[in-house]
Amino acid sequence: MNRDSAWELLTEFNKERFHLRHAVTVEGVMKYFANELGYANEEAFWGIVGLLHDLDFEQFPKQHCIKEQEIMRERGIDERIIHATASHGYELTVDIKPEHEMEKILYAVDELTGIIGAVALMRPSKSVSDLELKSVKKKYKNANFAAGCSREVIERGAAMLGWTLDELISKTILAMRSCETSYEKF
């Protein structure tokens, strides 16, 4: 599957600006981590996983990470993509555990990109380019801020990776900086 066909599939099931922006953000973050963690030859694959991870969420929120498996299998999509995208719903909607480092990254950063993005929107610059760890940590501690983003999942993801929460947040800020121009248009 290439990026164009992944985008076509994503936009078949997702129309809302918010969901498309999130998909492109996670795509860019995943590509960044592929390069940073020594998987540069799999950058496109990591990006497609990031782009498609919430394929079913807009239309089938109660079947999230379940319906997307059905949709992808019907279209003959690589089982590695299906497993990876579904695994970010581990212990939430599915029992598919993130196994590969890429799946653990997706699990850890999915919710976190939402919090970081929300913090950035509150800044005068509306950008992650000047965002610091301490600003994210301050808002992160407030459970009412970006309440839909699960701190438990983020912390479980950091633990899966063997990273501290501060490391995960700092690295994800850098990842979001690397691809900010790709999701700014949304």
Side-chain angles (χ1 to χ4, degrees):
M1 169 170 265
N2 63 33
R3 206 281 181 179
D4 289 340
S5 57
W7 179 256
E8 187 176 310
L9 178 61
L10 177 71
T11 56
E12 179 181 336
F13 289 91
N14 293 268
K15 307 295 182 204
E16 291 182 20
R17 180 180 165 269
F18 175 84
H19 292 133
L20 296 174
R21 179 185 172 111
H22 176 65
V24 171
T25 300
V26 176
E27 172 192 27
V29 167
M30 293 299 291
K31 289 168 73 172
Y32 172 87
F33 278 112
N35 285 294
E36 288 297 306
L37 299 174
Y39 299 94
N41 61 329
E42 295 179 32
E43 176 188 331
F45 179 78
W46 284 44
I48 287 169
V49 167
L51 190 66
L52 293 178
H53 80 284
D54 280 345
L55 175 66
D56 60 0
F57 189 76
E58 188 175 311
Q59 289 188 21
F60 309 99
K62 293 183 182 193
Q63 295 177 287
H64 182 42
C65 296
I66 298 166
K67 188 71 174 173
E68 69 185 23
Q69 294 177 67
E70 177 186 317
I71 293 166
M72 289 185 196
R73 283 194 180 101
E74 286 173 356
R75 292 159 193 248
I77 293 175
D78 187 330
E79 280 294 325
R80 295 179 312 142
I81 293 172
I82 296 169
H83 187 278
T85 56
S87 73
H88 88 281
Y90 179 62
E91 293 188 344
L92 301 169
T93 58
V94 297
D95 61 359
I96 300 169
K97 186 174 183 177
E99 296 168 0
H100 187 279
E101 190 170 21
M102 179 258 304
E103 295 171 344
K104 294 173 184 177
I105 292 287
L106 177 62
Y107 185 85
V109 304
D110 178 33
E111 303 279 321
L112 182 55
T113 60
I115 292 175
I116 292 171
V119 174
L121 288 175
M122 295 184 67
R123 303 179 62 74
S125 67
K126 305 239 184 278
S127 172
V128 292
S129 65
D130 58 352
L131 187 60
E132 300 290 330
L133 170 64
K134 66 181 177 178
S135 298
V136 176
K137 290 279 298 228
K138 182 178 178 182
K139 294 294 186 183
Y140 184 91
K141 290 175 187 174
N142 178 353
N144 292 324
F145 181 81
C149 298
S150 171
R151 275 74 168 160
E152 183 181 332
V153 168
I154 294 165
E155 291 163 17
R156 204 166 34 226
M160 282 181 190
L161 291 164
W163 298 352
T164 66
L165 181 60
D166 284 3
E167 285 176 305
L168 177 62
I169 293 170
S170 295
K171 290 176 182 188
T172 305
I173 290 169
L174 293 175
M176 289 178 71
R177 283 182 188 161
S178 78
C179 61
E180 188 167 37
T181 57
S182 63
Y183 62 82
E184 276 181 332
K185 64 184 175 189
F186 288 98

